[in-house]
């Protein structure tokens, strides 16, 4: 199998998808589709990609992207702390509140941005702290497993980054030590992470059985975030039961998403996989390869097991042509990423979720 040559990440395409408001949600082939507007989901994920890019290259253009995406997220946040998601081209939000998954993904992006303490300017980090502060009271009420998982991942970044919690004015929802001027109380966040992780763990224990080692009766989207979040929670809390559930569920997911021929094949979004049934073969989507890569990288560290790192590499190779069609998903002319694999070939649209997913995967694997 001939893999597409690995070259430095082209950033022109992601810039063309971004205007002074944020990154557009969809494209018509390679041209931004303004009729579909923007989402906070995509701008949050784009913030992660921009932070990784700036951390690796220190380019002013990457810092401009960080400002744009952070500003979009700030505008998306309601006064009560929740985030709206869908915005039309006229900069009008189309809903009063986004989905629970949107809340979780945004927390992931904000927490990750704070974790890059060596590169992200302090004024941007202060904005991220402010938004997390406003959103924290709502996290306990999250019921979506993936929303909880994304939030756990984002909050874990806070706890494991020196000075990430430090801020200039106190957190209003609990008492704060004036001595440390801690903005987001460490104990509060640790308890929140453990509470959400235990809920995921209990859901898994209730649902598994008869060879089905999963949290739900189906494998759908963003599956890898669930074991990935439990790995983070286990590291923070020291709970071996969370770590064991993370490994068992991740290994089950691996068994369902890597082909006998050795390439990554995510569960298709056109039907997913129901318990006791076969996985839908198509459509394969780029975001699944990126998030599985991140989960396997985390597992390689947690279990000191290089087999997970090899799987992370296979997830990256999926973009380069080691996939069910033996076709690269990266457009060599634009640097964009096609929107997925259909039964009849590539989805020739190159939307923001796809290029963001590939950018994150590339920057994590190659540390440019």
């Amino acid at each position: 199998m001939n893999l597409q040559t690995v070259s430095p990440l082209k950033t022109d395409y992601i810039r063309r998808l971004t205007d002074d408001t944020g990154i557009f949600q969809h494209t018509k082939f390679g041209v931004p589709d303004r009729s579909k507007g923007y989402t906070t989901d995509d701008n949050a994920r784009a913030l992660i990609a921009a932070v990784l890019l700036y951390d690796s290259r220190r380019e002013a253009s990457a810092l401009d992207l960080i400002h744009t995406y952070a500003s979009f997220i700030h505008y998306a946040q309601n006064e009560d702390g929740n985030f709206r998601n869908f915005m039309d081209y006229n900069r009008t939000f189309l809903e009063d509140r986004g989905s629970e998954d949107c809340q979780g993904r945004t927390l992931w992006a904000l927490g990750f941005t704070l974790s890059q303490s060596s590169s992200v300017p302090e004024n941007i980090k202060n904005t991220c702290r402010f938004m997390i502060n406003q959103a924290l009271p709502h996290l306990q009420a999250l019921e979506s497993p993936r929303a909880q998982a994304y939030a756990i991942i984002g909050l874990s970044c806070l706890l494991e980054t020196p000075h990430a919690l430090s801020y200039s004015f106190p957190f209003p929802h609990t008492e704060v030590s004036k001595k440390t001027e801690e903005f987001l109380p460490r104990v509060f966040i640790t308890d929140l992470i453990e509470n959400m992780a235990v809920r995921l763990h209990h859901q898994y224990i209730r649902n598994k059985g008869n060879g089905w080692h999963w949290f739900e009766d189906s494998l759908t989207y963003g599956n890898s975030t669930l074991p990935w979040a439990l790995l983070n929670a286990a590291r923070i809390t020291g709970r071996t039961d969370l770590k064991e559930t993370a490994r068992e569920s991740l290994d089950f997911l691996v068994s369902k998403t890597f082909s006998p021929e050795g390439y990554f094949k995510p569960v298709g979004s056109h039907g997913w996989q129901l318990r006791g049934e076969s996985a839908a073969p198509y459509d394969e989507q780029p975001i699944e390869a990126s998030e599985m890569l991140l989960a396997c990288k985390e597992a390689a560290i947690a279990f000191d097991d290089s087999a997970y790192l090899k799987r992370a590499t296979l997830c990256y190779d999926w973009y380069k042509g080691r996939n069910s069609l033996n076709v690269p998903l990266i457009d060599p002319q634009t640097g964009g990423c096609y929107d997925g694999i259909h039964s009849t070939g590539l989805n020739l649209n190159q939307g923001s979720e796809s290029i963001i997913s590939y950018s994150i995967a590339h920057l994590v694997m190659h540390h440019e």
Side-chain angles (χ1 to χ4, degrees), residues 254-267:
V254 165
S255 74
K256 299 296 183 182
T257 55
F258 286 85
S259 73
E261 294 77 19
Y263 56 81
F264 178 64
K265 183 171 176 53
V267 175

Side-chain angles (χ1 to χ4, degrees), residues 174-193:
T174 64
E175 288 202 15
V176 182
S177 167
K178 293 183 179 179
K179 182 178 180 181
T180 61
E181 293 185 336
E182 194 173 68
F183 172 54
L184 304 171
R186 183 171 297 274
V187 172
F188 178 87
I189 293 178
T190 301
D191 289 346
L192 182 57
I193 289 172

Side-chain angles (χ1 to χ4, degrees), residues 100-119:
E100 286 196 355
D101 286 7
C102 174
Q103 314 304 316
R105 288 189 190 101
T106 306
L107 260 292
W108 172 28
L110 297 175
F112 178 79
T113 302
L114 280 171
S115 74
Q116 303 301 297
S117 57
S118 64
S119 59

